[in-house]
Amino acid sequence: MSATVTVEPAPDAPIAPLPSGGDSVLRPPARQRRKVARPQELLDAALALFAEKGYAATRTEEVAQRAGVSKGTLYLYYPSKEELFKAVVRSNLTTLIAEGQEAAGSFEGTTSELLAMLLDTWWERVGSTPAAGIHKIVIAEARNFPDLAQFYADEVIVPADRLFCSTVQRGIERGEFRPVPLHETALALVAPLIFAALHQHSIGACPVRMDCGVDPRAMLHAHLDLVLRGMQVRPGEGP
């Protein structure tokens, strides 16, 4: 007589709860997220190496290695070192100047306040970051790479001059400033920004002790105060 075996149905497996929030459900896989972030990773690696070694001495394979990708992958995004450097400039400087021009167009405060805002934004986004090294690279190596020098003039020098000239003109038209030469005054406003950037990536990057050391942001504001006082409408002088 054979025994009858009764097989009980297995209990249903517990159902995992759905993630809370639509973003978690729609989040792309890690590999895809890395692919999206890769151009910025390459730009960050390139900026660091350009600032450390200079443009001429930096090799694309070094950039790829620091970014954790192959040289072939780098070339998928940036086909040459020149294009890589241009992308670094556009990402850090060209975009910032365009944003400054847009902000200036809708600014409602005084022109002195607008200049202070532009100065502080530059320091936060460029002067106090690795992007300040771009100025050192251009000044040191532009003569050996005239095409890059022209690119920098088109993408940075001319738009920055336009931004500061239009800002000074705004102050003149509003009666806040006396008539001053626009391009020369714009250069006077930009010069300390370049000086602060060069200092950050030269003597400022070395363990040098100096009794005359100053805070870069304080220096920029002191210089701005001097320029603003020079632009003030003087007694008996009409706008």
Side-chain angles (χ1 to χ4, degrees), residues 80-148:
S80 67
K81 185 169 72 169
E82 180 177 339
E83 291 303 317
L84 180 61
F85 181 76
K86 288 180 178 180
V88 168
V89 172
R90 290 190 179 109
S91 175
N92 290 280
L93 300 182
T94 306
T95 300
L96 178 61
I97 296 170
E99 290 175 3
Q101 192 73 64
E102 183 177 353
S106 59
F107 193 80
E108 297 181 355
T110 67
T111 306
S112 296
E113 293 169 338
L114 172 56
L115 286 170
M117 183 272 288
L118 293 174
L119 181 150
D120 283 333
T121 302
W122 178 89
W123 177 251
E124 293 170 3
R125 297 269 296 275
V126 178
S128 61
T129 75
I134 296 174
H135 300 295
K136 174 189 172 185
I137 298 164
V138 172
I139 290 175
E141 303 190 60
R143 186 172 182 177
N144 296 325
F145 301 94
D147 290 343
L148 288 183

Side-chain angles (χ1 to χ4, degrees), residues 17-33:
L18 291 173
S20 59
D23 290 343
S24 299
V25 177
L26 301 177
R27 183 179 299 164
R31 186 173 180 180
Q32 184 176 343
R33 293 198 303 272

Side-chain angles (χ1 to χ4, degrees), residues 60-220:
T60 52
E61 50 264 36
E62 293 177 305
V63 176
Q65 182 179 15
R66 180 166 294 199
V69 301
S70 68
K71 187 176 178 180
T73 299
L74 185 151
Y75 284 141
L76 288 175
Y77 296 95
Y78 308 105
S80 67
K81 185 169 72 169
E82 180 177 339
E83 291 303 317
L84 180 61
F85 181 76
K86 288 180 178 180
V88 168
V89 172
R90 290 190 179 109
S91 175
N92 290 280
L93 300 182
T94 306
T95 300
L96 178 61
I97 296 170
E99 290 175 3
Q101 192 73 64
E102 183 177 353
S106 59
F107 193 80
E108 297 181 355
T110 67
T111 306
S112 296
E113 293 169 338
L114 172 56
L115 286 170
M117 183 272 288
L118 293 174
L119 181 150
D120 283 333
T121 302
W122 178 89
W123 177 251
E124 293 170 3
R125 297 269 296 275
V126 178
S128 61
T129 75
I134 296 174
H135 300 295
K136 174 189 172 185
I137 298 164
V138 172
I139 290 175
E141 303 190 60
R143 186 172 182 177
N144 296 325
F145 301 94
D147 290 343
L148 288 183
Q150 184 62 58
F151 164 81
Y152 185 81
D154 295 338
E155 293 282 333
V156 179
I157 296 177
V158 173
D161 177 75
R162 186 182 303 120
L163 169 59
F164 280 94
C165 281
S166 62
T167 302
V168 173
Q169 182 65 41
R170 175 188 191 267
I172 295 173
E173 293 174 354
R174 291 162 61 104
E176 300 173 45
F177 302 154
R178 63 189 180 88
V180 294
L182 296 181
H183 295 286
E184 291 77 5
T185 303
L187 182 60
L189 290 165
V190 171
L193 307 182
I194 306 301
F195 172 82
L198 293 176
H199 178 77
Q200 288 289 99
H201 286 267
S202 55
I203 296 176
C206 302
V208 177
R209 293 183 299 174
M210 296 184 295
D211 295 335
C212 59
V214 296
D215 174 62
R217 187 189 291 270
M219 181 274 291
L220 293 174

